[in-house]
RNA sequence: UCCGGCGUAGCUCAGAGGUAGAGCAGGUGCCUGUUAAGCACCGGGUCGCAGGUUCGAAUCCUGCCGCCGGAGCCA
């Protein structure tokens, strides 16, 4: 205790006593910035936060205070503000922790609509040499300082929207009778054999970080009818683009007795619900990001749904080159998504470019009952899904064709031996969806601490 | 992994053979409505590292390191 106190004194950064903070707590309500409303106008409150910016015009001094829920301008005026607090303006450095106390005022000039007329303030912690400045910074510097960058306006807005998106996803599935089904993150086998997995030493055994919860979700669907897996996934692909992270979040619904048509419909409902939730709750955040909301307002069902072969005809029309029978690359995806002003769903890809568990189209067995949803504005694939092969023999045959080891997947094949039914599901990439909605230039800004090919600190 | 670009003040950048600059941040003042506020003044540098060319290299060449952008794969 004594030592601790001495240390704090040495640092000389904690300014005011805990007693004063307690006294204020007994005298005035503590209000979060995003809770300010007209009923509080004229009332005295306190805001506990940090100094984000300050400006002075001599006898009138402005503090931009952030408290984690928003930003507000606190105004200090000679004669109104206590002389001690008014004097203290000069020692308030950026990112110092402060508690400001005063009267809520409505003001047309304020970005949030409200201002605080400061009566008094407590300097809780005086920050020195805060590294992030007010001018532009390069992405390298900002990512190195991600732990501090999160405090600033754009990360604040994106994280708030991420929260809304996650909440909307849970509301969507919970209100439709889906059971939340947590798939394991440590898994003994791969899901899609081709992609690379992170290897883990599991007491001498080989294990992997999950790259998809889908196979487990299928077990869940046959147990509980409708489930969704929502969690982090890991891919050790050496990809280095604005659409890739090594660790990202995916929501994967899986539904027994559902066909491709059912999930094509469900995916549209989900994406519409997510976007409309953000438009309902985050107009302030979209404004901070200078995101044009018009394209988002258009995200209403029905979305265009086209088959792979029709997509090829659109590419012909646009003069975009492609290799028939191949999966689409970035140029093709971008061209098709720009052709429409809503998310577009492409179904029935050639069998050989898709995963082994996808069910071939009974009418054209060279194509599979699958769907991809491409986000507008060039954000690429946000959903991939399919109707699954439910026949034991056909699934086994496909696995043998693709040289997939049978033993680790015996449990998965088992699902086709006991009460197998048609079932379908899809995966929605959370970060790509957020990147599109926030019109971010890279998925790395849509997750608090991104994990990328050559960058994984802090 | 491949292709391309960039490393100069704490940060963002200018300088492209002749010996180091600006804005912001920091410091000191001024200003009663600023909103990346403004104005004046002050301090601040192994020009990524190593080697080479040259009378002379931040500048040209080679190698290495770091970062960024794009491709493939995918969500």
């Amino acid at each position: 205790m004594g030592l601790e106190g001495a240390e704090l004194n040495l640092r000389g950064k904690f300014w005011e006593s805990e007693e004063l903070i307690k006294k204020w707590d007994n005298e005035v309500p503590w209000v979060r910035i995003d809770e300010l409303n007209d009923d509080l106008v004229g009332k005295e409150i306190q805001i506990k936060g940090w100094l984000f910016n300050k400006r002075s015009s001599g006898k009138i001094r402005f503090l931009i205070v952030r408290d984690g829920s928003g930003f507000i301008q606190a105004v200090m005026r000679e004669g109104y503000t206590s002389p001690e607090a008014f004097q203290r303006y000069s020692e308030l450095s950026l990112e110092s922790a402060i508690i400001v106390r005063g009267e809520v005022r409505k003001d047309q000039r304020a970005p949030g609509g409200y201002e605080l007329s400061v009566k008094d303030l407590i300097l809780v912690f005086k920050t020195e040499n805060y590294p992030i400045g007010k001018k532009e910074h390069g992405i390298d510097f900002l990512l190195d300082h991600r732990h501090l960058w999160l405090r600033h306006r754009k990360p604040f807005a994106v994280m708030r929207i991420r929260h809304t998106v996650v909440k909307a996803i849970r509301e969507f599935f919970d209100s439709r009778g889906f059971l939340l089904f947590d798939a394991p993150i440590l898994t003994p086998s791969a899901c899609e054999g081709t992609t690379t997995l992170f290897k883990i030493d599991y007491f001498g055994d080989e294990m992997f970080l999950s790259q998809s919860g889908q196979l487990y979700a299928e077990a869940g669907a046959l147990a509980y009818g409708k489930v969704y897996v929502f969690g982090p996934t890991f891919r050790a692909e050496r990809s280095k683009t604005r659409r890739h992270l090594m660790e990202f979040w995916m929501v994967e619904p899986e539904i027994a007795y559902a066909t491709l048509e059912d999930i094509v419909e469900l995916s549209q409902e989900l994406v519409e619900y997510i976007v409309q939730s953000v438009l309902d709750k985050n107009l302030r955040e979209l404004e901070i990001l200078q995101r044009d909301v018009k394209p988002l307002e258009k995200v209403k069902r029905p979305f265009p749904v086209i088959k792979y072969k029709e997509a090829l005809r659109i590419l012909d029309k646009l003069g975009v080159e492609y290799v028939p029978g191949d999966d689409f690359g970035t140029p093709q995806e971008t061209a098709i998504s720009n052709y429409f002003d809503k998310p577009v769903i492409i179904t029935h890809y050639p069998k050989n470019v898709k995963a082994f568990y996808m069910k071939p189209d009974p009418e054209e067995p060279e194509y599979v009952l699958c769907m991809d949803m491409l986000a507008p504005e060039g954000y690429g694939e946000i959903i991939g899904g399919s109707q699954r092969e439910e026949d034991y023999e056909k699934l086994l045959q496909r696995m043998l064709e693709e040289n997939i080891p049978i033993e680790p997947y015996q449990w998965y094949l088992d699902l086709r031996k006991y009460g197998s039914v048609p079932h379908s599901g899809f995966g929605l990439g959370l970060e790509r969806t957020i990147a599109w909605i926030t019109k971010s230039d890279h998925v790395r800004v849509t997750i608090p601490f991104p994990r990328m090919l050559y960058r994984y600190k802090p």
Side-chain angles (χ1 to χ4, degrees):
Chain A
M1 185 65 180
L3 251 178
E4 236 173 73
E7 238 177 275
L8 295 183
N9 276 336
L10 272 178
R11 278 194 233 126
K13 286 181 178 164
F14 287 95
W15 244 238
E16 308 280 359
S17 66
E18 275 181 50
E19 284 69 31
L20 184 57
I21 294 173
K22 275 186 189 140
K23 181 169 174 279
W24 281 25
D25 284 342
N26 289 326
E27 290 169 356
V28 281
W30 169 18
V31 179
R32 297 259 291 174
I33 292 165
D34 68 349
E35 291 167 354
L36 287 170
N37 60 63
D38 286 357
D39 294 341
L40 287 165
V41 172
K43 303 246 164 63
E44 188 176 346
I45 63 153
Q46 59 174 333
I47 288 171
K48 301 187 179 191
W50 297 265
L51 183 66
F52 185 71
N53 196 3
K54 64 172 188 176
R55 288 181 281 273
S56 161
S57 185
K59 302 239 164 52
I60 183 164
R61 297 170 179 180
F62 305 97
L63 308 176
I64 312 300
V65 180
R66 62 169 190 90
D67 74 345
S69 79
F71 297 81
I72 192 171
Q73 177 157 274
V75 185
M76 301 207 291
R77 236 179 264 271
E78 198 166 38
Y80 179 90
T81 306
S82 81
E84 299 78 37
F86 191 80
Q87 210 53 44
R88 184 157 262 185
Y89 172 87
S90 62
E91 64 179 285
L92 298 178
S93 50
L94 298 188
E95 278 306 312
S96 285
I98 56 173
I99 300 174
V100 285
R101 171 178 177 166
E103 207 173 273
V104 179
R105 257 209 8 266
K106 225 177 168 166
D107 197 312
Q108 289 292 326
R109 292 166 293 191
Y114 301 100
E115 282 189 348
L116 194 75
S117 296
V118 179
K119 285 190 171 157
D120 208 350
L121 76 83
I122 297 176
L123 176 53
V124 180
F125 184 102
K126 185 172 178 177
T127 293
E128 273 155 25
N129 303 320
Y130 182 68
I132 301 185
K134 293 197 267 185
K135 264 234 167 157
E136 280 175 38
H137 293 281
I139 192 65
D140 183 34
F141 178 84
L142 288 174
L143 286 169
D144 280 345
H145 295 83
R146 182 61 168 169
H147 51 298
L148 302 176
W149 185 27
L150 289 166
R151 303 175 179 198
H152 293 247
R153 285 195 142 98
K154 283 186 178 178
F156 163 83
V158 174
M159 288 306 134
R160 302 259 294 184
I161 289 171
R162 182 181 171 104
H163 175 87
T164 299
V165 170
V166 170
K167 192 157 178 260
I169 288 168
R170 305 200 98 102
E171 282 168 1
F172 179 86
F173 289 114
D174 292 349
S175 67
R176 280 167 177 75
F178 282 73
L179 186 79
L180 176 64
F181 187 75
D182 299 313
I185 286 169
L186 293 172
T187 60
S189 53
C191 167
E192 295 166 39
T194 51
T195 35
T196 331
L197 296 162
F198 287 105
K199 208 185 284 178
I200 299 293
D201 173 37
Y202 195 79
F203 306 112
D205 280 349
E206 225 176 46
M207 286 272 270
F208 303 95
L209 292 180
S210 172
Q211 62 170 344
S212 165
Q214 184 206 309
L215 303 189
Y216 294 99
E218 289 185 47
L222 294 175
Y224 307 116
K226 297 197 276 189
V227 299
Y228 68 105
V229 174
F230 196 0
T233 48
F234 307 85
R235 304 226 174 142
E237 294 158 8
R238 290 192 161 300
S239 46
K240 194 177 164 297
T241 80
R242 62 180 65 191
R243 294 183 302 280
H244 287 87
L245 293 171
M246 302 301 108
E247 175 181 326
F248 67 99
W249 283 63
M250 214 170 22
V251 59
E252 301 177 277
E254 192 74 31
I255 310 141
Y257 290 105
T259 62
L260 177 65
E261 288 67 42
D262 294 327
I263 59 163
V264 164
E265 175 58 29
L266 186 74
S267 66
Q268 294 178 57
E269 287 176 29
L270 172 64
V271 170
E272 180 185 296
Y273 186 77
I274 291 169
V275 172
Q276 295 308 314
S277 296
V278 172
L279 287 172
D280 279 352
K281 294 172 187 165
N282 297 108
L283 283 180
R284 178 86 49 79
E285 285 78 11
L286 291 168
E287 201 189 317
I288 289 173
L289 298 166
Q290 298 175 315
R291 205 313 180 204
D292 180 10
V293 296
K294 279 187 224 94
L296 296 178
E297 283 163 350
K298 285 184 192 154
V299 182
K300 297 268 191 170
R301 286 171 295 148
F303 300 168
V305 180
I306 58 173
K307 288 191 175 184
Y308 173 82
K309 286 190 213 166
E310 293 171 74
L312 296 186
R313 284 203 288 277
I314 291 171
L315 292 174
D316 285 334
K317 201 158 103 186
L318 296 171
V320 177
E321 287 181 16
Y322 60 88
V323 180
D326 267 17
D327 208 349
F328 295 137
T330 309
Q332 291 83 20
E333 273 188 7
T334 305
I336 294 166
S337 74
N338 286 338
Y339 185 76
F340 299 97
D341 61 358
K342 292 183 193 184
V344 52
I345 293 172
I346 305 173
T347 64
H348 300 81
Y349 278 73
K351 183 176 80 172
N352 58 324
V353 301
K354 288 291 178 181
F356 71 90
Y357 49 73
M358 294 184 179
K359 185 180 167 79
D361 182 1
E363 286 163 27
E364 284 184 287
E366 286 312 298
Y367 297 86
V368 286
L369 299 174
C370 71
M371 59 159 291
D372 281 0
M373 187 189 290
L374 306 181
E377 300 171 81
Y379 279 91
E381 188 184 340
I382 53 169
I383 285 179
S386 68
Q387 185 165 336
R388 323 303 190 190
E389 178 57 74
E390 78 272 21
D391 183 89
Y392 184 96
E393 290 302 328
K394 287 177 183 163
L395 183 61
L396 183 63
Q397 187 58 36
R398 280 287 285 149
M399 290 173 74
L400 292 171
E401 277 169 27
E402 307 243 332
N403 286 320
I404 292 165
I406 304 303
E407 196 277 324
Y409 291 99
Q410 197 52 59
W411 68 270
Y412 183 68
L413 281 159
D414 253 18
L415 300 173
R416 275 72 180 169
K417 280 162 71 179
Y418 307 107
S420 188
V421 294
H423 61 286
S424 303
F426 62 83
L428 174 136
L430 184 66
E431 285 76 16
R432 282 193 188 173
T433 303
I434 297 165
W436 159 50
I437 292 172
T438 58
K439 206 162 185 178
S440 299
D441 55 14
H442 199 299
V443 288
R444 66 189 166 206
V445 301
T446 66
I447 189 166
F449 294 96
R451 296 293 173 246
M452 292 177 284
L453 185 51
Y454 298 120
R455 187 190 280 281
Y456 39 83
K457 295 177 207 167

